[in-house]
């Protein structure tokens, strides 16, 4: 993985301690100073040295805590250092714990100038998921966390800055120790994990781009390039004229205030034969000023992230194509820049959407639902079995759920349950919100069919209700509001560097692997 500094290579290996590679060996320690059971594979001298230091209180085992030791003479290890890494409470370990450990491991190796290391963390086979019989997928979780934690966005760094950062980030190779009988299976799984991690990287890269570089046409060009790299993907870009012919006044109205005209991007991947079609729609507002309903100046620079839903669609398409999965997948990204000008839509305007529904626009900052409405209607024309949309749609959802879960709504309980399970497994967690019929009353308009805001109360839900008006009654549909999870400028999680998170790629990849193949 080598995009934006992603030079970290991860492999799996087995064998005896004398054959382990790397200039450091990473050993896990549970909270309370108990070493992981796999320590016995390091030989008696190393085991004795580690237990002695732990008994002396050198490390208590809090998650991410670390200490470096020198292996005792005659240990037989190739590594010149031992890195003890705190794993946290043993009874609290889960898959996300090991992703977090992977991120901590990456950061520590960079900080301690370790270029190559091998870890025992993946060797223990006793880790069980809480209240479940299955084992935690330790090796793949560590790899995923390490790759995600190694991400750096440096497209606009000078050559001098890049050179300095390369010297500061020397970590290049991680080996995960696994039992010999699991070696082949873990290698195959690691290939899948890396493809998904690459998809996360692509989503992060796109979302981190500044608005003056990645405008709607720039995003469309990225779709063309993706199709160029993966012939299985067919990309179609709808211009302003084509959007007008299709009656997509929602997309056109939102983009009317900008000198960068809107686009509708479709990406088709069809390698599933006669299997059903899955459609994924992602909001692509490349910059959101709020339009005439102008946002406050503070934090407005973060509104380049208002296309994180669209970025996730790109990342998912890339991961699916790289793995050559036998599915049929449609990606739809409505792209626009929401700006104030003499040509911008006004509060009080009424627009007729592609579906024929009229909308009273009372707030031009509630623009995402307008472009998604036309995109959902367009996606429906392909007759998919399921439509899922992702959008940084409402501040209300971010207030309700924070940065640790995305909001989930929809009209099909089976689909919603599948997505919830995929969220738990992938780490892109979801929390379901109700869509009672009473909420629909809040978006009724006195001058049009509906209005684009439903008032201060239940803002995330009424936004979902708005979108539901553009989905056919018998069409299985789910809406995912990622406003709180899409990016974090104050992130303290080691596998989520500051900026775009790439949320949605892992979630939908897991959903496809578990329920669509």
């Amino acid at each position: 993985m080598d995009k934006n500094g992603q030079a970290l290579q991860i492999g799996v290996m087995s064998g005896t301690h004398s054959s382990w590679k790397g200039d450091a060996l990473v050993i896990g320690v549970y909270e309370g100073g108990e070493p992981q059971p796999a320590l016995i594979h390091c030989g008696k001298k190393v085991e004795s040295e580690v237990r002695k230091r732990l008994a002396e209180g050198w490390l208590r085992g809090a998650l991410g805590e670390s200490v470096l030791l020198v292996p005792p003479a005659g240990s037989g290890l190739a590594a010149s250092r031992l890195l003890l890494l705190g794993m946290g409470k043993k009874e609290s370990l889960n898959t996300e714990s090991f992703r977090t450990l992977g991120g901590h491991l990456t950061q520590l190796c960079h900080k301690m100038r370790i270029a190559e290391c091998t870890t025992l963390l993946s060797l223990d086979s006793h880790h069980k998921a809480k209240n479940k019989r299955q084992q935690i997928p330790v090796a793949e979780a560590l790899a995923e966390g390490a790759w995600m934690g190694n991400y750096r966005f440096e497209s606009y760094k000078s050559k001098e800055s890049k050179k300095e950062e390369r010297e500061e980030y020397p970590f290049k190779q991680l080996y995960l120790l696994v039992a010999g009988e699991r070696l082949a299976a873990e290698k195959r799984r690691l290939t899948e994990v890396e493809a998904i991690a690459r998809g996360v990287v692509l989503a992060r890269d796109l979302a981190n781009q500044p608005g003056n570089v990645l405008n709607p046409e720039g995003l469309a060009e990225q779709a063309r390039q993706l199709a160029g790299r993966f012939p299985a993907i067919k990309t179609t870009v709808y211009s302003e004229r084509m959007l007008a012919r299709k009656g997509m006044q929602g997309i056109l109205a939102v983009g009317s205030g900008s000198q960068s005209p809107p686009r509708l991007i479709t990406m088709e991947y069809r390698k599933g034969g006669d299997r059903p079609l899955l459609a994924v729609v992602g909001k692509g507002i490349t910059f959101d000023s709020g339009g005439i309903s102008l946002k406050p100046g503070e934090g407005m620079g973060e509104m380049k992230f208002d296309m994180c839903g669209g970025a996730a669609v790109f990342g998912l398409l890339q991961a699916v194509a790289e793995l050559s999965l036998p599915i049929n997948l449609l990606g739809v990204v409505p792209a626009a820049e929401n700006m104030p000008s003499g040509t911008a839509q006004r509060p009080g305007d009424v627009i007729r959407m592609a579906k024929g529904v009229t909308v009273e626009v009372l707030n031009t900052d509630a623009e995402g639902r307008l472009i998604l409405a036309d995109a959902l209607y367009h996606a429906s024309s392909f007759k998919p079995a399921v439509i899922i949309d992702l959008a940084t749609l409402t501040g209300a959802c971010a207030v309700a759920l924070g940065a640790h879960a995305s909001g989930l709504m929809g009209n099909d309980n089976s689909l919603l349950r599948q997505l919830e399970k995929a969220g738990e497994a992938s780490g892109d967690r979801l929390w379901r919100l109700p869509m009672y019929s009473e909420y629909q009353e809040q978006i009724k308009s006195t001058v049009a069919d509906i209005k684009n805001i439903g008032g201060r109360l239940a803002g995330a839900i009424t936004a979902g209700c708005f979108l539901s008006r553009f989905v056919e009654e018998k069409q299985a549909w789910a809406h995912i509001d990622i406003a709180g999870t899409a990016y974090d400028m104050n992130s303290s999680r080691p596998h989520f560097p500051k900026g775009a998170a790439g949320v949605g790629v892992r979630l939908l990849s897991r959903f496809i692997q578990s329920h669509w193949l």
Side-chain angles (χ1 to χ4, degrees):
M1 193 175 296
D2 54 13
K3 179 68 173 174
N4 263 322
Q6 304 304 297
L8 179 61
Q9 303 296 316
I10 302 179
V12 292
M13 63 181 299
S14 59
T16 61
H17 69 278
S18 60
S19 65
W20 297 342
K21 301 177 182 178
D23 54 10
L25 176 66
V26 182
I27 301 169
V29 178
Y30 301 115
E31 191 167 307
E34 177 191 351
Q36 64 173 119
L39 177 63
I40 62 172
H41 298 292
C42 297
K44 291 184 178 180
K45 288 188 176 182
V46 170
E47 182 180 2
S48 177
E49 177 69 12
V50 169
R51 290 188 181 279
K52 177 183 176 183
R53 299 308 178 191
L54 291 176
E56 293 172 350
W58 284 39
L59 187 90
R60 298 306 301 162
L63 183 64
E65 185 186 7
S66 66
V67 67
L68 271 177
L69 301 177
V70 176
S75 67
L77 290 177
S80 58
R81 288 176 281 184
L82 301 176
L83 173 58
L84 305 188
L85 178 60
M87 300 172 68
K89 294 181 179 179
K90 185 176 182 180
E91 62 274 15
S92 299
L93 284 172
N94 55 32
T95 304
E96 190 63 19
S97 303
F98 285 97
R99 293 190 188 103
T100 303
L101 282 168
H104 277 302
L105 178 57
T106 296
Q107 292 190 0
L108 287 168
C109 286
H110 285 310
K111 182 180 180 180
M112 297 175 177
R113 306 198 63 76
I114 295 170
E116 183 181 69
C117 78
T118 297
T119 178
L120 285 178
L121 292 168
S122 51
L123 191 56
D124 286 331
S125 59
H126 73 286
H127 295 299
K128 304 285 185 181
K130 190 175 182 180
N131 297 325
K132 295 180 181 178
R133 293 183 178 181
Q134 69 266 30
Q135 293 180 348
I136 296 172
V138 176
E140 62 190 73
L142 284 169
E144 185 178 356
W147 271 318
M148 290 175 65
N150 197 56
Y151 176 84
R152 300 186 302 281
F153 183 71
E154 53 183 17
S155 296
Y156 301 97
K157 297 280 189 178
S158 66
K159 290 183 179 180
E160 291 76 14
S161 294
K162 284 185 178 180
K163 182 179 179 181
E164 291 174 4
E165 290 193 3
R166 278 195 294 270
E167 291 173 352
E168 292 175 5
Y169 294 93
F171 187 35
K172 301 296 181 185
Q173 179 72 58
L174 170 63
Y175 295 103
L176 304 172
L177 289 170
V178 298
E181 66 272 14
R182 291 167 41 216
L183 193 61
E186 293 288 8
K187 283 182 178 179
R188 288 193 299 271
R189 181 58 188 143
L190 208 60
T191 299
E192 297 176 7
V193 173
E194 183 171 15
I196 295 168
R198 287 182 191 275
V200 173
V201 167
L202 174 60
R204 287 177 173 179
D205 280 347
L206 291 173
N208 281 325
Q209 292 287 343
N212 65 318
V213 174
L214 195 69
N215 57 22
E217 175 55 31
L219 193 58
E221 179 56 31
Q222 291 293 320
R224 296 185 190 101
Q225 292 180 18
L226 188 63
R229 289 189 287 118
F230 297 98
I233 298 175
K234 175 188 174 184
T235 290
T236 303
V237 177
Y238 293 79
S239 65
E240 277 184 294
R241 182 176 298 179
M242 297 167 70
L243 290 171
R245 284 204 300 265
K246 287 185 168 289
M248 295 192 177
Q249 295 301 319
I251 298 174
L252 289 170
V254 172
S256 63
S258 173
Q259 291 184 337
S260 298
R263 297 286 186 263
L264 177 66
I265 304 162
T266 65
M267 295 171 282
E268 295 180 65
Y269 172 91
R270 294 184 182 270
K271 296 192 73 172
D274 59 357
R275 292 187 178 189
L277 175 67
L278 169 65
V280 181
V281 180
K283 175 185 172 184
I285 297 292
T286 57
F287 185 78
D288 182 19
S289 70
I292 287 179
S293 304
L294 194 67
K295 292 178 181 291
E298 184 179 357
M300 193 187 288
E302 297 176 6
M303 289 302 100
K304 67 180 183 178
F305 296 120
D306 210 18
M307 45 74 68
C308 284
V313 174
F314 276 78
L316 177 66
L317 263 292
Q318 177 181 280
V320 166
E322 190 170 322
L323 292 170
S324 194
L325 297 182
I327 66 168
N328 296 316
L329 177 64
L330 170 69
V332 180
V333 180
E337 186 178 59
N338 188 25
M339 298 290 282
S341 75
T343 59
Q345 65 173 336
R346 297 156 291 266
D349 283 0
V350 175
I351 56 178
R352 185 177 297 277
M353 313 297 284
K355 191 179 180 182
V357 177
T358 57
V359 175
E360 181 185 13
V361 178
L362 292 181
N363 189 320
T364 65
D365 194 25
E367 85 300 327
R369 65 201 70 183
L370 298 178
I371 67 169
L372 284 172
D374 279 345
L376 286 168
Y377 180 71
H378 179 68
S380 296
S381 69
F382 289 81
K383 307 299 181 184
V386 167
I387 300 178
I388 301 170
D389 76 76
L390 304 97
T392 48
L393 203 61
T394 65
C397 193
V399 170
L401 300 177
H404 304 295
S406 301
L408 175 66
M409 288 162 268
N411 62 5
D412 186 289
N413 282 327
S414 176
L415 171 62
L416 298 181
R417 283 194 297 269
Q418 290 173 356
L419 285 168
E420 286 170 330
K421 289 178 181 179
E424 285 297 323
S426 67
D428 282 348
R429 293 178 294 186
L430 303 173
W431 191 260
R432 198 186 303 195
L433 300 174
M435 290 186 69
Y436 304 133
S437 59
E438 289 84 353
Y439 291 118
Q440 297 281 353
E441 298 295 316
Q442 292 181 228
I443 60 171
K444 283 187 175 180
S445 169
T446 58
V447 300
D449 296 327
I450 54 176
K451 54 188 178 181
N452 77 326
I453 55 173
R456 186 174 62 88
L457 302 178
I461 296 172
T462 55
C465 290
F466 182 96
L467 295 180
S468 72
R469 300 296 188 93
F470 299 90
V471 177
E472 298 301 324
E473 186 176 349
K474 295 183 179 180
Q475 172 70 68
W477 161 73
H479 162 59
I480 302 172
D481 192 331
I482 60 172
T485 55
Y487 68 96
D488 189 349
M489 299 308 296
N490 300 295
S491 177
S492 59
R493 295 177 292 175
H495 52 317
F496 284 90
K498 294 179 181 179
V503 70
V505 177
R506 296 182 300 149
L507 166 71
L508 295 180
S509 295
R510 175 68 68 167
F511 169 76
I512 288 171
Q513 290 171 330
S514 300
H515 304 288
W516 210 255
L517 291 177

